[in-house]
Amino acid sequence: MASLYERLGGEAAVNVAVERFYRRMLGDERVADYFDGVDMDRQMAKQKAFLTMVFGGPANYSGKDMRAAHAHLVTRGLNDGHVDAVIEHLGGVLKELGAADADIAEVAAIANSVRDHVLSR
Amino acid sequence: MPTIHWREQAIEAPTGQSALDALLNAGVVIPNACRAGACQSCLVRASAGELPPQAQAGLRDDQRARGEVLACRLPVNDGLHLEPAGPLSIAGELILTRRVLPTDSVAVLHLLPPPGLRPLAGQLLHLIREDGLSRPYSVASLPDDTLIELHVRQVPGGRMSTTLCDTAPIGARFGVRGPFGDCTLRDGEQDRPLLLVGVGTGLAPMLGLARDAYARGWRAPVTLIQAGLNEAALYQPEALTALTAAWPGLDWRRVVLQAPASDGVEVGDVVEAAKTSYAAAPSARVYLCGDAAVVNRLRRALFLAGASLAALHADPFTPTA
Ligand SMILES: Cc1cc2nc3c(=O)[nH]c(=O)nc-3n(C[C@H](O)[C@H](O)[C@H](O)COP(=O)(O)OP(=O)(O)OC[C@H]3O[C@@H](n4cnc5c(N)ncnc54)[C@H](O)[C@@H]3O)c2cc1C
Ligand code: HEM
Ligand code: FES
């Protein structure tokens, strides 16, 4: 059976999803501040890394990496509510792109599995 | 274990490793950010070796042809020879033939190109001074024009801009590298609207694109927004006067931040002006150029308004450090 990443459409799907996801994040005042960098290209690259990871694609992140990537955000107050918002937008984008409910749930589960690392717990 | 080369240096790396990791492990300094092929920070050039398509995804055709490649997406393979990417070759010399000063702080330059250098409107040329100082400027002319037109703002204390705007005599020669950049019109898109926003001397490439669109007989609406701090900053090069006279259908907007302004000049934030023009033609391809802070604000606002990054071209004039 195809992997989750392949079922969702692989790299092509990531490329389509990444703009929509980023637009949602920038447009949501709960989380937008954390993405407030002028360098949109770099931010897009991070969004792509994020999506590749939660789609279960080829990226080798460890919990240590996730801690390091978000540690400076935790000092700025990153909490469970923000992770919930991210997962909500992720689900929204996947639904728009026609993903199956079971796959959406699996993506959410992957995102949830690194919650403690992201929040430095 | 495959062996790759960085310039003359041989580096052994395990099969499956990316060239980026192999180079970093060997102590070579390569900028990198996403490690996912998206940010193009890790661009290098391969003079030999196998380049799988994913390692060149997102690059322009001319970059691919030169062997430029994203090291983070490139698996090591025997025989791979890598070197820094970028403008190594010098295209020849430009000769300054004419300088017009439409305002105190802007110079419109015309330069005679060396044979074979025919940059597209909107592309960049790196001008090189005698002492080696090099700076990018955007092209306002068309490839068939005899002279290349550049607009240069004199930055206070700026080395190259003072030379170009003030001290270089007519007849002065400058080295040139390029052309670079894909802030250019796409072939076969005459039925797609264009939104061109030039802030300060960011007008130069936008004027070039508007002239190019006119020459190609563009059928869809074209909007050219010229923005400046105040009305005195809205310089008007001869080519713009000629274009607006020849092309009454061009939607030419002038926007200044500070009042007062005469009739036909709007007072307000260029970001709001661009958003209204975008809302009227959301299928437009969008080009933004000029002051880096304003261009980045424009880019973000238009992206949030629905423009895809693939149809949103920005050349911020990132200042030198
Ligand atoms: C992609 C790109 C395209 C460009 N196209 C054009 C163009 O078409 N027309 C044009 O006039 N310029 C353009 N520029 C800017 C140009 O390349 C130079 O940066 C500018 O002319 C200043 O160079 P300088 O040697 O005179 O200043 P420097 O001697 O390098 O700098 C002097 C001082 O001024 C500051 N400074 C440098 N640049 C700026 C700036 N843009 N704004 C404010 N402060 C600055 C520096 O930090 C420094 O403190 C472009 C830049 C980029 C990256
Ligand atoms: C839901 C679980 C999350 C996962 C799996 C995740 C994953 C990632 C990944 C893979 C990166 C790239 C790291 C790198 O290569 O540098 C990243 C960076 C980033 N993430 Fe997350 N993330 C999560 C939650 C969040 C939340 C809730 C926020 C803020 C609201 C956030 C904001 C950021 C920012 C701003 C960056 C860029 C960091 C920088 O370089 O400055 N992330 N994330
Ligand atoms: S590190 Fe971003 S493209 Fe290679």
Side-chain angles (χ1 to χ4, degrees), chain A residues 11 19 22-23 26-27 35-38 40-42 44-46 48-49 61, chain B residues 33-34 36-39 54 73 296 299-300 303-304 306-310:
Chain A
E11 195 185 346
E19 282 205 357
Y22 187 31
R23 197 173 281 125
L26 281 180
F35 294 87
D36 215 358
V38 274
M40 282 178 62
D41 293 313
R42 216 176 136 244
M44 281 290 275
K46 300 281 182 186
K48 195 168 169 184
Y61 282 104
Chain B
C34 70
C39 70
Q54 89 267 5
R73 304 297 311 271
N296 285 324
R299 191 159 179 237
R300 180 181 167 134
F303 174 71
L304 283 176
S308 161
L309 286 186

PDB file of all heavy atoms in Angstrom, chain A residues 11 19 22-23 26-27 35-38 40-42 44-46 48-49 61, chain B residues 33-34 36-39 54 73 296 299-300 303-304 306-310:
ATOM      1  N   GLU A  11       5.335  15.071  -3.553  1.00  0.00           N
ATOM      2  CA  GLU A  11       5.884  16.422  -3.590  1.00  0.00           C
ATOM      3  C   GLU A  11       4.940  17.406  -4.286  1.00  0.00           C
ATOM      4  O   GLU A  11       4.819  18.568  -3.894  1.00  0.00           O
ATOM      5  CB  GLU A  11       7.254  16.412  -4.289  1.00  0.00           C
ATOM      6  CG  GLU A  11       8.007  17.697  -4.031  1.00  0.00           C
ATOM      7  CD  GLU A  11       9.319  17.802  -4.805  1.00  0.00           C
ATOM      8  OE1 GLU A  11       9.782  16.785  -5.341  1.00  0.00           O
ATOM      9  OE2 GLU A  11       9.850  18.924  -4.867  1.00  0.00           O
ATOM     10  N   GLU A  19       1.280  26.873  -0.357  1.00  0.00           N
ATOM     11  CA  GLU A  19       0.819  28.261  -0.437  1.00  0.00           C
ATOM     12  C   GLU A  19      -0.465  28.472   0.336  1.00  0.00           C
ATOM     13  O   GLU A  19      -0.638  29.452   1.029  1.00  0.00           O
ATOM     14  CB  GLU A  19       0.569  28.652  -1.905  1.00  0.00           C
ATOM     15  CG  GLU A  19       1.818  28.966  -2.666  1.00  0.00           C
ATOM     16  CD  GLU A  19       1.572  29.902  -3.849  1.00  0.00           C
ATOM     17  OE1 GLU A  19       0.413  30.275  -4.111  1.00  0.00           O
ATOM     18  OE2 GLU A  19       2.563  30.259  -4.507  1.00  0.00           O
ATOM     19  N   TYR A  22       0.281  28.381   4.053  1.00  0.00           N
ATOM     20  CA  TYR A  22       0.985  29.585   4.491  1.00  0.00           C
ATOM     21  C   TYR A  22       0.038  30.793   4.503  1.00  0.00           C
ATOM     22  O   TYR A  22       0.062  31.620   5.402  1.00  0.00           O
ATOM     23  CB  TYR A  22       2.178  29.831   3.560  1.00  0.00           C
ATOM     24  CG  TYR A  22       3.101  30.949   3.970  1.00  0.00           C
ATOM     25  CD1 TYR A  22       3.299  31.271   5.311  1.00  0.00           C
ATOM     26  CD2 TYR A  22       3.787  31.674   3.014  1.00  0.00           C
ATOM     27  CE1 TYR A  22       4.154  32.297   5.666  1.00  0.00           C
ATOM     28  CE2 TYR A  22       4.653  32.697   3.366  1.00  0.00           C
ATOM     29  CZ  TYR A  22       4.824  33.006   4.686  1.00  0.00           C
ATOM     30  OH  TYR A  22       5.678  34.019   5.032  1.00  0.00           O
ATOM     31  N   ARG A  23      -0.819  30.880   3.483  1.00  0.00           N
ATOM     32  CA  ARG A  23      -1.768  31.997   3.437  1.00  0.00           C
ATOM     33  C   ARG A  23      -2.702  31.953   4.641  1.00  0.00           C
ATOM     34  O   ARG A  23      -3.003  32.971   5.252  1.00  0.00           O
ATOM     35  CB  ARG A  23      -2.557  31.941   2.124  1.00  0.00           C
ATOM     36  CG  ARG A  23      -3.257  33.233   1.774  1.00  0.00           C
ATOM     37  CD  ARG A  23      -3.893  33.188   0.386  1.00  0.00           C
ATOM     38  NE  ARG A  23      -2.949  33.392  -0.690  1.00  0.00           N
ATOM     39  CZ  ARG A  23      -2.782  32.554  -1.716  1.00  0.00           C
ATOM     40  NH1 ARG A  23      -3.501  31.448  -1.792  1.00  0.00           N
ATOM     41  NH2 ARG A  23      -1.904  32.822  -2.647  1.00  0.00           N
ATOM     42  N   LEU A  26      -0.677  33.062   7.796  1.00  0.00           N
ATOM     43  CA  LEU A  26      -0.438  34.514   7.831  1.00  0.00           C
ATOM     44  C   LEU A  26      -1.727  35.281   8.079  1.00  0.00           C
ATOM     45  O   LEU A  26      -1.706  36.392   8.587  1.00  0.00           O
ATOM     46  CB  LEU A  26       0.170  34.984   6.504  1.00  0.00           C
ATOM     47  CG  LEU A  26       1.645  34.745   6.274  1.00  0.00           C
ATOM     48  CD1 LEU A  26       2.041  35.285   4.912  1.00  0.00           C
ATOM     49  CD2 LEU A  26       2.484  35.407   7.351  1.00  0.00           C
ATOM     50  N   GLY A  27      -2.851  34.681   7.675  1.00  0.00           N
ATOM     51  CA  GLY A  27      -4.125  35.371   7.816  1.00  0.00           C
ATOM     52  C   GLY A  27      -4.806  35.109   9.147  1.00  0.00           C
ATOM     53  O   GLY A  27      -5.875  35.659   9.423  1.00  0.00           O
ATOM     54  N   PHE A  35       5.018  34.078  12.380  1.00  0.00           N
ATOM     55  CA  PHE A  35       5.536  33.917  11.024  1.00  0.00           C
ATOM     56  C   PHE A  35       5.903  35.255  10.422  1.00  0.00           C
ATOM     57  O   PHE A  35       6.083  35.395   9.224  1.00  0.00           O
ATOM     58  CB  PHE A  35       4.500  33.217  10.145  1.00  0.00           C
ATOM     59  CG  PHE A  35       4.262  31.822  10.599  1.00  0.00           C
ATOM     60  CD1 PHE A  35       3.319  31.553  11.583  1.00  0.00           C
ATOM     61  CD2 PHE A  35       5.021  30.779  10.109  1.00  0.00           C
ATOM     62  CE1 PHE A  35       3.132  30.267  12.041  1.00  0.00           C
ATOM     63  CE2 PHE A  35       4.834  29.499  10.567  1.00  0.00           C
ATOM     64  CZ  PHE A  35       3.892  29.240  11.542  1.00  0.00           C
ATOM     65  N   ASP A  36       6.027  36.235  11.273  1.00  0.00           N
ATOM     66  CA  ASP A  36       6.215  37.585  10.798  1.00  0.00           C
ATOM     67  C   ASP A  36       7.664  37.841  10.446  1.00  0.00           C
ATOM     68  O   ASP A  36       8.357  38.579  11.112  1.00  0.00           O
ATOM     69  CB  ASP A  36       5.734  38.575  11.866  1.00  0.00           C
ATOM     70  CG  ASP A  36       5.104  39.785  11.226  1.00  0.00           C
ATOM     71  OD1 ASP A  36       5.098  39.845   9.985  1.00  0.00           O
ATOM     72  OD2 ASP A  36       4.618  40.645  11.963  1.00  0.00           O
ATOM     73  N   GLY A  37       8.130  37.204   9.420  1.00  0.00           N
ATOM     74  CA  GLY A  37       9.475  37.514   8.923  1.00  0.00           C
ATOM     75  C   GLY A  37       9.289  38.213   7.596  1.00  0.00           C
ATOM     76  O   GLY A  37       8.342  37.925   6.885  1.00  0.00           O
ATOM     77  N   VAL A  38      10.170  39.134   7.233  1.00  0.00           N
ATOM     78  CA  VAL A  38      10.030  39.745   5.917  1.00  0.00           C
ATOM     79  C   VAL A  38      10.422  38.774   4.818  1.00  0.00           C
ATOM     80  O   VAL A  38       9.972  38.877   3.700  1.00  0.00           O
ATOM     81  CB  VAL A  38      10.873  41.025   5.759  1.00  0.00           C
ATOM     82  CG1 VAL A  38      10.118  42.228   6.270  1.00  0.00           C
ATOM     83  CG2 VAL A  38      12.222  40.889   6.411  1.00  0.00           C
ATOM     84  N   MET A  40       9.826  36.031   2.925  1.00  0.00           N
ATOM     85  CA  MET A  40       8.773  35.053   2.663  1.00  0.00           C
ATOM     86  C   MET A  40       9.314  33.771   2.042  1.00  0.00           C
ATOM     87  O   MET A  40       8.757  32.705   2.261  1.00  0.00           O
ATOM     88  CB  MET A  40       7.720  35.649   1.735  1.00  0.00           C
ATOM     89  CG  MET A  40       6.782  36.589   2.467  1.00  0.00           C
ATOM     90  SD  MET A  40       5.589  37.325   1.361  1.00  0.00           S
ATOM     91  CE  MET A  40       4.705  35.904   0.762  1.00  0.00           C
ATOM     92  N   ASP A  41      10.368  33.888   1.260  1.00  0.00           N
ATOM     93  CA  ASP A  41      10.878  32.686   0.602  1.00  0.00           C
ATOM     94  C   ASP A  41      11.398  31.694   1.628  1.00  0.00           C
ATOM     95  O   ASP A  41      11.167  30.498   1.543  1.00  0.00           O
ATOM     96  CB  ASP A  41      11.990  33.044  -0.380  1.00  0.00           C
ATOM     97  CG  ASP A  41      11.435  33.844  -1.536  1.00  0.00           C
ATOM     98  OD1 ASP A  41      10.411  33.423  -2.081  1.00  0.00           O
ATOM     99  OD2 ASP A  41      12.003  34.883  -1.865  1.00  0.00           O
ATOM    100  N   ARG A  42      12.108  32.231   2.621  1.00  0.00           N
ATOM    101  CA  ARG A  42      12.636  31.358   3.650  1.00  0.00           C
ATOM    102  C   ARG A  42      11.484  30.745   4.452  1.00  0.00           C
ATOM    103  O   ARG A  42      11.488  29.567   4.775  1.00  0.00           O
ATOM    104  CB  ARG A  42      13.563  32.160   4.565  1.00  0.00           C
ATOM    105  CG  ARG A  42      14.710  31.329   5.001  1.00  0.00           C
ATOM    106  CD  ARG A  42      15.709  32.070   5.832  1.00  0.00           C
ATOM    107  NE  ARG A  42      16.032  31.182   6.926  1.00  0.00           N
ATOM    108  CZ  ARG A  42      15.775  31.440   8.183  1.00  0.00           C
ATOM    109  NH1 ARG A  42      15.222  32.569   8.527  1.00  0.00           N
ATOM    110  NH2 ARG A  42      16.078  30.559   9.099  1.00  0.00           N
ATOM    111  N   MET A  44       8.496  30.183   3.364  1.00  0.00           N
ATOM    112  CA  MET A  44       7.840  29.171   2.532  1.00  0.00           C
ATOM    113  C   MET A  44       8.610  27.861   2.575  1.00  0.00           C
ATOM    114  O   MET A  44       8.027  26.784   2.586  1.00  0.00           O
ATOM    115  CB  MET A  44       7.752  29.643   1.077  1.00  0.00           C
ATOM    116  CG  MET A  44       6.653  30.622   0.811  1.00  0.00           C
ATOM    117  SD  MET A  44       5.019  29.873   0.906  1.00  0.00           S
ATOM    118  CE  MET A  44       4.892  29.246  -0.754  1.00  0.00           C
ATOM    119  N   ALA A  45       9.932  27.978   2.584  1.00  0.00           N
ATOM    120  CA  ALA A  45      10.749  26.778   2.636  1.00  0.00           C
ATOM    121  C   ALA A  45      10.484  26.009   3.929  1.00  0.00           C
ATOM    122  O   ALA A  45      10.395  24.785   3.939  1.00  0.00           O
ATOM    123  CB  ALA A  45      12.222  27.154   2.533  1.00  0.00           C
ATOM    124  N   LYS A  46      10.308  26.756   5.025  1.00  0.00           N
ATOM    125  CA  LYS A  46      10.013  26.103   6.310  1.00  0.00           C
ATOM    126  C   LYS A  46       8.639  25.448   6.277  1.00  0.00           C
ATOM    127  O   LYS A  46       8.438  24.368   6.822  1.00  0.00           O
ATOM    128  CB  LYS A  46      10.036  27.135   7.443  1.00  0.00           C
ATOM    129  CG  LYS A  46      11.347  27.838   7.610  1.00  0.00           C
ATOM    130  CD  LYS A  46      12.338  26.984   8.347  1.00  0.00           C
ATOM    131  CE  LYS A  46      13.625  27.758   8.541  1.00  0.00           C
ATOM    132  NZ  LYS A  46      14.678  26.947   9.123  1.00  0.00           N
ATOM    133  N   LYS A  48       7.260  24.256   3.746  1.00  0.00           N
ATOM    134  CA  LYS A  48       7.370  23.064   2.920  1.00  0.00           C
ATOM    135  C   LYS A  48       7.982  21.934   3.734  1.00  0.00           C
ATOM    136  O   LYS A  48       7.532  20.787   3.665  1.00  0.00           O
ATOM    137  CB  LYS A  48       8.226  23.374   1.691  1.00  0.00           C
ATOM    138  CG  LYS A  48       8.113  22.341   0.631  1.00  0.00           C
ATOM    139  CD  LYS A  48       8.738  22.799  -0.672  1.00  0.00           C
ATOM    140  CE  LYS A  48       8.835  21.600  -1.602  1.00  0.00           C
ATOM    141  NZ  LYS A  48       9.518  21.922  -2.849  1.00  0.00           N
ATOM    142  N   ALA A  49       8.979  22.268   4.526  1.00  0.00           N
ATOM    143  CA  ALA A  49       9.586  21.265   5.395  1.00  0.00           C
ATOM    144  C   ALA A  49       8.549  20.727   6.371  1.00  0.00           C
ATOM    145  O   ALA A  49       8.466  19.519   6.629  1.00  0.00           O
ATOM    146  CB  ALA A  49      10.759  21.880   6.155  1.00  0.00           C
ATOM    147  N   TYR A  61      13.661  14.464  10.457  1.00  0.00           N
ATOM    148  CA  TYR A  61      13.703  15.314  11.627  1.00  0.00           C
ATOM    149  C   TYR A  61      13.650  14.461  12.883  1.00  0.00           C
ATOM    150  O   TYR A  61      12.963  13.454  12.934  1.00  0.00           O
ATOM    151  CB  TYR A  61      12.512  16.272  11.639  1.00  0.00           C
ATOM    152  CG  TYR A  61      12.690  17.443  10.719  1.00  0.00           C
ATOM    153  CD1 TYR A  61      12.025  17.501   9.513  1.00  0.00           C
ATOM    154  CD2 TYR A  61      13.538  18.478  11.072  1.00  0.00           C
ATOM    155  CE1 TYR A  61      12.191  18.578   8.665  1.00  0.00           C
ATOM    156  CE2 TYR A  61      13.717  19.557  10.234  1.00  0.00           C
ATOM    157  CZ  TYR A  61      13.039  19.602   9.031  1.00  0.00           C
ATOM    158  OH  TYR A  61      13.206  20.668   8.206  1.00  0.00           O
TER     159      TYR A  61
ATOM    160  N   ALA B  33      19.135  26.597   4.137  1.00  0.00           N
ATOM    161  CA  ALA B  33      18.043  26.931   5.050  1.00  0.00           C
ATOM    162  C   ALA B  33      17.033  25.805   5.096  1.00  0.00           C
ATOM    163  O   ALA B  33      16.864  25.145   6.115  1.00  0.00           O
ATOM    164  CB  ALA B  33      17.384  28.226   4.634  1.00  0.00           C
ATOM    165  N   CYS B  34      16.365  25.512   3.990  1.00  0.00           N
ATOM    166  CA  CYS B  34      15.242  24.581   4.043  1.00  0.00           C
ATOM    167  C   CYS B  34      15.699  23.139   3.914  1.00  0.00           C
ATOM    168  O   CYS B  34      15.058  22.243   4.422  1.00  0.00           O
ATOM    169  CB  CYS B  34      14.263  24.890   2.922  1.00  0.00           C
ATOM    170  SG  CYS B  34      14.890  24.490   1.276  1.00  0.00           S
ATOM    171  N   ALA B  36      15.290  21.423   1.577  1.00  0.00           N
ATOM    172  CA  ALA B  36      14.172  20.752   0.919  1.00  0.00           C
ATOM    173  C   ALA B  36      13.984  21.229  -0.513  1.00  0.00           C
ATOM    174  O   ALA B  36      12.944  20.993  -1.112  1.00  0.00           O
ATOM    175  CB  ALA B  36      12.895  20.989   1.721  1.00  0.00           C
ATOM    176  N   GLY B  37      14.953  21.933  -1.047  1.00  0.00           N
ATOM    177  CA  GLY B  37      14.851  22.327  -2.447  1.00  0.00           C
ATOM    178  C   GLY B  37      13.968  23.517  -2.710  1.00  0.00           C
ATOM    179  O   GLY B  37      13.644  23.801  -3.856  1.00  0.00           O
ATOM    180  N   ALA B  38      13.590  24.238  -1.665  1.00  0.00           N
ATOM    181  CA  ALA B  38      12.646  25.324  -1.883  1.00  0.00           C
ATOM    182  C   ALA B  38      13.278  26.704  -1.851  1.00  0.00           C
ATOM    183  O   ALA B  38      12.828  27.606  -2.538  1.00  0.00           O
ATOM    184  CB  ALA B  38      11.534  25.262  -0.843  1.00  0.00           C
ATOM    185  N   CYS B  39      14.311  26.886  -1.061  1.00  0.00           N
ATOM    186  CA  CYS B  39      14.779  28.249  -0.826  1.00  0.00           C
ATOM    187  C   CYS B  39      15.925  28.654  -1.742  1.00  0.00           C
ATOM    188  O   CYS B  39      16.232  29.834  -1.862  1.00  0.00           O
ATOM    189  CB  CYS B  39      15.188  28.421   0.626  1.00  0.00           C
ATOM    190  SG  CYS B  39      16.697  27.532   1.067  1.00  0.00           S
ATOM    191  N   GLN B  54      15.037  16.384  -9.744  1.00  0.00           N
ATOM    192  CA  GLN B  54      14.559  17.059  -8.527  1.00  0.00           C
ATOM    193  C   GLN B  54      15.609  18.014  -7.968  1.00  0.00           C
ATOM    194  O   GLN B  54      15.293  18.931  -7.226  1.00  0.00           O
ATOM    195  CB  GLN B  54      14.091  16.043  -7.465  1.00  0.00           C
ATOM    196  CG  GLN B  54      15.154  15.542  -6.502  1.00  0.00           C
ATOM    197  CD  GLN B  54      15.800  14.241  -6.999  1.00  0.00           C
ATOM    198  OE1 GLN B  54      15.522  13.773  -8.093  1.00  0.00           O
ATOM    199  NE2 GLN B  54      16.660  13.655  -6.168  1.00  0.00           N
ATOM    200  N   ARG B  73      19.342  18.761  -2.615  1.00  0.00           N
ATOM    201  CA  ARG B  73      18.517  17.745  -3.285  1.00  0.00           C
ATOM    202  C   ARG B  73      19.347  16.858  -4.207  1.00  0.00           C
ATOM    203  O   ARG B  73      18.804  16.120  -5.013  1.00  0.00           O
ATOM    204  CB  ARG B  73      17.405  18.411  -4.129  1.00  0.00           C
ATOM    205  CG  ARG B  73      16.498  19.353  -3.384  1.00  0.00           C
ATOM    206  CD  ARG B  73      15.691  18.664  -2.301  1.00  0.00           C
ATOM    207  NE  ARG B  73      15.026  17.449  -2.762  1.00  0.00           N
ATOM    208  CZ  ARG B  73      13.807  17.409  -3.293  1.00  0.00           C
ATOM    209  NH1 ARG B  73      13.116  18.497  -3.429  1.00  0.00           N
ATOM    210  NH2 ARG B  73      13.282  16.268  -3.674  1.00  0.00           N
ATOM    211  N   ASN B 296       8.715  44.102   0.001  1.00  0.00           N
ATOM    212  CA  ASN B 296       8.347  42.947   0.805  1.00  0.00           C
ATOM    213  C   ASN B 296       6.955  43.094   1.409  1.00  0.00           C
ATOM    214  O   ASN B 296       6.211  42.119   1.514  1.00  0.00           O
ATOM    215  CB  ASN B 296       9.401  42.688   1.886  1.00  0.00           C
ATOM    216  CG  ASN B 296      10.665  42.063   1.290  1.00  0.00           C
ATOM    217  OD1 ASN B 296      10.589  41.255   0.360  1.00  0.00           O
ATOM    218  ND2 ASN B 296      11.820  42.466   1.789  1.00  0.00           N
ATOM    219  N   ARG B 299       4.555  42.387  -1.442  1.00  0.00           N
ATOM    220  CA  ARG B 299       4.521  40.978  -1.790  1.00  0.00           C
ATOM    221  C   ARG B 299       3.625  40.209  -0.824  1.00  0.00           C
ATOM    222  O   ARG B 299       2.794  39.398  -1.209  1.00  0.00           O
ATOM    223  CB  ARG B 299       5.945  40.451  -1.735  1.00  0.00           C
ATOM    224  CG  ARG B 299       6.101  39.091  -2.307  1.00  0.00           C
ATOM    225  CD  ARG B 299       7.548  38.876  -2.670  1.00  0.00           C
ATOM    226  NE  ARG B 299       7.693  37.548  -3.211  1.00  0.00           N
ATOM    227  CZ  ARG B 299       8.515  36.650  -2.705  1.00  0.00           C
ATOM    228  NH1 ARG B 299       9.273  36.950  -1.667  1.00  0.00           N
ATOM    229  NH2 ARG B 299       8.599  35.453  -3.237  1.00  0.00           N
ATOM    230  N   ARG B 300       3.800  40.502   0.434  1.00  0.00           N
ATOM    231  CA  ARG B 300       3.006  39.823   1.447  1.00  0.00           C
ATOM    232  C   ARG B 300       1.526  40.161   1.293  1.00  0.00           C
ATOM    233  O   ARG B 300       0.655  39.285   1.342  1.00  0.00           O
ATOM    234  CB  ARG B 300       3.513  40.235   2.820  1.00  0.00           C
ATOM    235  CG  ARG B 300       2.768  39.598   3.943  1.00  0.00           C
ATOM    236  CD  ARG B 300       3.317  40.094   5.267  1.00  0.00           C
ATOM    237  NE  ARG B 300       2.394  39.716   6.311  1.00  0.00           N
ATOM    238  CZ  ARG B 300       2.765  39.168   7.448  1.00  0.00           C
ATOM    239  NH1 ARG B 300       4.022  38.955   7.687  1.00  0.00           N
ATOM    240  NH2 ARG B 300       1.866  38.838   8.349  1.00  0.00           N
ATOM    241  N   PHE B 303       0.089  38.484  -1.795  1.00  0.00           N
ATOM    242  CA  PHE B 303      -0.021  37.039  -1.547  1.00  0.00           C
ATOM    243  C   PHE B 303      -1.263  36.752  -0.709  1.00  0.00           C
ATOM    244  O   PHE B 303      -2.056  35.860  -1.024  1.00  0.00           O
ATOM    245  CB  PHE B 303       1.244  36.532  -0.842  1.00  0.00           C
ATOM    246  CG  PHE B 303       1.175  35.095  -0.417  1.00  0.00           C
ATOM    247  CD1 PHE B 303       1.207  34.079  -1.352  1.00  0.00           C
ATOM    248  CD2 PHE B 303       1.078  34.756   0.920  1.00  0.00           C
ATOM    249  CE1 PHE B 303       1.143  32.743  -0.969  1.00  0.00           C
ATOM    250  CE2 PHE B 303       1.013  33.427   1.312  1.00  0.00           C
ATOM    251  CZ  PHE B 303       1.050  32.422   0.366  1.00  0.00           C
ATOM    252  N   LEU B 304      -1.453  37.535   0.353  1.00  0.00           N
ATOM    253  CA  LEU B 304      -2.629  37.330   1.201  1.00  0.00           C
ATOM    254  C   LEU B 304      -3.910  37.644   0.442  1.00  0.00           C
ATOM    255  O   LEU B 304      -4.958  37.081   0.728  1.00  0.00           O
ATOM    256  CB  LEU B 304      -2.538  38.184   2.467  1.00  0.00           C
ATOM    257  CG  LEU B 304      -1.592  37.623   3.523  1.00  0.00           C
ATOM    258  CD1 LEU B 304      -1.479  38.557   4.716  1.00  0.00           C
ATOM    259  CD2 LEU B 304      -2.055  36.242   3.978  1.00  0.00           C
ATOM    260  N   GLY B 306      -4.428  36.733  -2.428  1.00  0.00           N
ATOM    261  CA  GLY B 306      -4.723  35.589  -3.269  1.00  0.00           C
ATOM    262  C   GLY B 306      -3.745  35.334  -4.396  1.00  0.00           C
ATOM    263  O   GLY B 306      -3.851  34.328  -5.088  1.00  0.00           O
ATOM    264  N   ALA B 307      -2.779  36.219  -4.602  1.00  0.00           N
ATOM    265  CA  ALA B 307      -1.824  35.999  -5.688  1.00  0.00           C
ATOM    266  C   ALA B 307      -0.929  34.811  -5.352  1.00  0.00           C
ATOM    267  O   ALA B 307      -0.456  34.694  -4.221  1.00  0.00           O
ATOM    268  CB  ALA B 307      -0.979  37.248  -5.915  1.00  0.00           C
ATOM    269  N   SER B 308      -0.730  33.941  -6.331  1.00  0.00           N
ATOM    270  CA  SER B 308       0.160  32.813  -6.117  1.00  0.00           C
ATOM    271  C   SER B 308       1.600  33.295  -6.215  1.00  0.00           C
ATOM    272  O   SER B 308       1.921  34.146  -7.037  1.00  0.00           O
ATOM    273  CB  SER B 308      -0.119  31.747  -7.174  1.00  0.00           C
ATOM    274  OG  SER B 308       0.990  30.880  -7.249  1.00  0.00           O
ATOM    275  N   LEU B 309       2.470  32.722  -5.398  1.00  0.00           N
ATOM    276  CA  LEU B 309       3.871  33.156  -5.453  1.00  0.00           C
ATOM    277  C   LEU B 309       4.461  32.898  -6.837  1.00  0.00           C
ATOM    278  O   LEU B 309       5.392  33.574  -7.254  1.00  0.00           O
ATOM    279  CB  LEU B 309       4.704  32.467  -4.377  1.00  0.00           C
ATOM    280  CG  LEU B 309       4.490  32.975  -2.948  1.00  0.00           C
ATOM    281  CD1 LEU B 309       5.478  32.322  -2.001  1.00  0.00           C
ATOM    282  CD2 LEU B 309       4.593  34.485  -2.859  1.00  0.00           C
ATOM    283  N   ALA B 310       3.906  31.939  -7.571  1.00  0.00           N
ATOM    284  CA  ALA B 310       4.421  31.642  -8.911  1.00  0.00           C
ATOM    285  C   ALA B 310       4.100  32.762  -9.896  1.00  0.00           C
ATOM    286  O   ALA B 310       4.712  32.849 -10.950  1.00  0.00           O
ATOM    287  CB  ALA B 310       3.836  30.323  -9.406  1.00  0.00           C
TER     288      ALA B 310
END
